[in-house]
Every structure is written in structure tokens, then in C-alpha cells.
Amino acid sequence: MLRAISPGRTPLAEYDSGVLWAALLLLTLGIVMVYSASIAMAEASKFTAGRPAYFLQRHAIFLAASVLGGMLAFQVPVRLWQQTAPLLFALGVVLLVVLLLPGFGREINGARRWLSLGIANLQPSEFMKLFVILYSADYTVRKLALMHSFRRGLLPIFGVMLVVGWLLLREPDFGAFVVITAIATGILFLGGMNARWFAGLVVMMAAGFAGLVLSSPYRMQRIFGFMDPWSDPFGRGYQLSHALIAFGRGEWFGVGLGGSVEKLLYLPEAHTDFLLAVIAEELGFAGVIAVIALFLWLVMRAFAIGRQAVALERPYPALVAQGIGLWLGVQAFINMGVNMGVLPTKGLTLPLMSFGGSGLLANCVALAVLMRIDWENRQLMRGAHA
């Protein structure tokens, strides 16, 4: 009927192809660069039995499982995500507690962040980021009329988030703590938090972060190493100095795929936390800009989908969509800032690209939820037009 009235009007697409293509490009570039960044380490490690494709094979398996997980998550109505949000959040808290129990958590590089599942390790903090989005959005919608009240509206969720933060800092996982705090605070602000309370909260968080840094010699070293990595290039500034060398060698268009020198056991965590430095060295400034543009596009689309949900009077999907945009944007920004030397070193991977099964699965499920929100928006718009 609509087409008969307006034959020149473009039919509404089934889904946001821009989100899908940006995600696919990041995932594809990620698997290529993980292989390139990990070959030298895989060949030199006894753990991998000297197999150069060890990390590529595992990343490919993780990626296939993550895409399948995303496809399954897309089938779940947003209504069901909202109904199960408190249970999923509680599950995340339980996993963080189990992680700290003797004999359960697996310690790697001095941090207890993984649960061993035999064939792979599970990192609960990655899934907690998604669970916090789902729960914070649900809480905000339920308490919408109380968002102006600190005691009745904000204090309960602050208490819950303090517990989550304490568990994360016990691992320790300061990077995940920062991201989850940013997500929860951002969702509360978008949901109508009083501006004065928000300003006070920002000041409190800044003071809290400063206190956490000053109370930990380990974090103090990272801060000072970030401020002047060349003062101790073989100690606290080692990672950052080699990351900066990688950026310098890449110049405009890089030294060519596979041509990185820094990945030859000079740059630690080249296939995880410092993947962007390898991209900068091999693909140059052009490659880095392309990665930044793809993440920027994803964040913009997430907020646009959220605004569309608001226009359709769907507050919960709107907050979830924008929360996912916050997550991807904040974590990518921090990882890129660390690689470029403008932020202190933290153990945060580059979403959708770095090696790691838990991160990939959580990211793909989050994007599937985002696309489901968009799909439901479009179904409602079709009904409204009809």
C-alpha cells in the first residue's frame, strides 16, 4: 500500500549494513594482524611446540565460535535480555567471586583473571562488561522516576558497582574496572541522572582513581613509565618505548604486512594489548586511521540506533544500544591511547581485533544485541508506516 502511494521511496532495509560491515572488517583485519604479530612468539615458545600458526588457529576457532554465538544472540528478543538482566549480572558477580577462590582462578603474569575450562580460559570480566550494560539499563528504566534522588535512585546501584569494582581490583584488573565504571556511569547519565550528582560523581571517581594509583607501587610505576618511558627504557618504560618505536617505523604507509621488527620478541603482548602498534608498524598511519574510523563508525551507529529507539519510545533498548557504543568506544580509546603513549599502560585489548576468546565472544554477542535492537526498531517502523 505504501509503495503504491510513494513509489519513489526507498524501502527500509532489514538491518544496519554499516554496523555489520564495520564489524566484519575489524574482525577480518584482526585475524590477519594477530597472525602477523604472533608468528615470532609462537615459533620461539615451547608452550606452542614451535608452531608458527598456533595463535592463528586458536584465534580462528575463537572467531568462529564468537560469530556463532552472535548469530544465536541475535535470535533473542530484547525483551528477554531485559527480563534476564538481573540474573546475568548475578551470574557475572558469582564468576568474579569464584575466580578469587583458591584453586579456581588461573594466574597469568601476576593477575588472576581467568577460569580454566580445559580447552580454553574464560575471562569473566569481559562478559561482566555486557552484563553491566544490560543490568544498568534495566535498573535505570525501573528507577527512572527516582533518578533525581541520590538515596533511593543512585545509592543502591553505586553500592552494587562498588562490590563489582572491589572484586575486579582483587584480581587485579584495573583496566576492566575503569571500563565498567565508565559504562555504568554513562548509562545512568543518559538515563536521566541529576547533573549535579553526575558532576559530583565524576569528581569522586577522579579522586578514587588517584587514590588507587597512589596506594599501589605497581600502578605508580606504570604512571611514571607512561610519563617518560625513555627514562627507563629497559624497565618500566619497556613496553611503551617499543610501541612508540613501532609507530615511528611505520610512518605513513608502513613497512609492509609481515615486516614488523618489533614483533620479533621486542614488543611484549604484541598480539593482544599492543596489536595496534604492530598495525602501525606494518600498515602505517593509514592503517591506524582506518581502524580508528571503523570504531568511530560503530560508536556513532550505536548511538544513532539508541536515538531511534528513544523516538520509538523504547527506553531500555535505547540505553543498551548506547551502552554498547560506550563500551566499544571507551575500551578502544584506552587501548589506542596506551599504544600511542597518551595514556598509562593497562591490560586492555582492542575490541574485535586482539587475540582472546572471551573478549571476542563478548564483543560479538554485544554487537548481535545491538543489531537486534536495530532490527526491532525497523520492524516497528514498518508497522507504523503500514
Side-chain angles (χ1 to χ4, degrees):
M1 184 68 177
L2 178 63
R3 292 183 182 179
I5 297 173
S6 306
R9 188 166 186 172
T10 303
L12 189 64
E14 284 284 339
Y15 61 91
D16 191 322
S17 59
V19 171
L20 182 62
W21 279 110
L24 288 175
L25 286 171
L26 287 170
L27 290 170
T28 303
L29 181 59
I31 195 171
V32 172
M33 296 310 303
V34 163
Y35 181 41
S36 178
S38 65
I39 292 176
M41 185 174 66
E43 286 182 333
S45 175
K46 293 181 180 179
F47 175 75
T48 64
R51 290 174 291 168
Y54 175 83
F55 291 102
L56 170 66
Q57 292 167 352
R58 290 182 67 81
H59 192 78
I61 293 171
F62 293 152
L63 181 55
S66 299
V67 171
L68 177 60
M71 292 171 66
L72 293 174
F74 180 80
Q75 307 304 317
V76 180
V78 179
R79 176 187 71 257
L80 187 56
W81 287 112
Q82 183 174 10
Q83 292 170 355
T84 58
L87 293 176
L88 291 173
F89 183 79
L91 173 63
V93 173
V94 169
L95 289 175
L96 291 178
V97 171
V98 170
L99 194 64
L100 299 175
L101 297 178
F104 286 92
R106 182 180 179 187
E107 188 170 321
I108 301 176
N109 295 331
R112 188 185 293 268
R113 302 176 186 173
W114 297 267
L115 291 171
S116 179
L117 302 180
I119 58 174
N121 294 324
L122 177 71
Q123 189 172 357
S125 61
E126 291 293 340
F127 296 97
M128 198 63 193
K129 294 168 187 173
L130 176 59
F131 297 161
V132 163
I133 291 172
L134 298 173
Y135 177 72
S136 297
D138 175 57
Y139 180 90
T140 303
V141 170
R142 285 189 285 110
K143 302 284 187 176
L144 200 57
L146 302 174
M147 278 295 107
H148 66 282
S149 169
F150 180 79
R151 184 177 63 85
R152 298 175 63 193
L154 302 178
L155 189 59
I157 194 167
F158 286 166
V160 170
M161 290 304 166
L162 281 175
V163 172
V164 173
W166 180 79
L167 291 171
L168 289 170
L169 291 175
R170 287 291 305 275
E171 296 182 12
D173 194 345
F174 189 66
F177 172 70
V178 171
V179 172
I180 284 175
T181 301
I183 290 170
T185 307
I187 288 176
L188 289 171
F189 177 72
L190 292 168
M193 178 195 288
N194 184 289
R196 288 179 300 172
W197 290 124
F198 179 73
L201 179 62
V202 170
V203 173
M204 287 172 55
M205 286 194 303
F209 287 148
L212 287 171
V213 170
L214 294 174
S215 65
S216 169
Y218 171 71
R219 297 190 189 106
M220 287 271 291
Q221 286 184 353
R222 287 201 164 189
I223 290 292
F224 289 122
F226 143 73
M227 294 173 66
D228 186 9
W230 307 110
S231 64
D232 188 11
F234 297 104
R236 64 193 182 193
Y238 183 80
Q239 283 182 308
L240 180 53
S241 61
H242 281 278
L244 295 176
I245 291 171
F247 271 86
R249 291 193 74 243
E251 298 185 352
W252 288 101
F253 298 104
V255 297
L257 187 61
S260 169
V261 171
E262 287 300 319
K263 71 182 182 184
L264 302 179
L265 307 182
Y266 293 106
L267 180 63
E269 310 297 337
H271 62 309
T272 54
D273 299 358
F274 284 87
L275 186 66
L276 188 71
V278 179
I279 293 173
E281 187 176 2
E282 296 191 349
L283 304 182
F285 179 75
V288 173
I289 286 297
V291 171
I292 293 174
L294 288 171
F295 275 109
L296 182 60
W297 176 255
L298 275 181
V299 173
M300 290 172 59
R301 291 310 306 153
F303 274 82
I305 290 169
R307 288 194 300 272
Q308 186 62 64
V310 170
L312 294 170
E313 299 182 351
R314 306 180 70 212
Y316 178 76
L319 289 174
V320 171
Q322 293 175 346
I324 292 170
L326 278 173
W327 171 16
L328 295 176
V330 169
Q331 184 162 332
F333 176 80
I334 293 175
N335 178 273
M336 292 173 183
V338 167
N339 275 254
M340 296 177 189
V342 296
L343 289 175
T345 304
K346 291 182 177 65
L348 279 177
T349 56
L350 190 59
L352 298 168
M353 300 188 73
S354 292
F355 177 82
S358 297
L360 268 181
L361 179 57
N363 294 157
C364 287
V365 170
L367 285 176
V369 174
L370 177 64
M371 294 196 68
R372 176 73 191 200
I373 293 169
D374 175 65
W375 183 81
E376 290 185 5
N377 284 349
R378 291 167 187 260
Q379 296 303 307
L380 286 174
M381 290 165 67
R382 279 197 177 89
H385 290 162

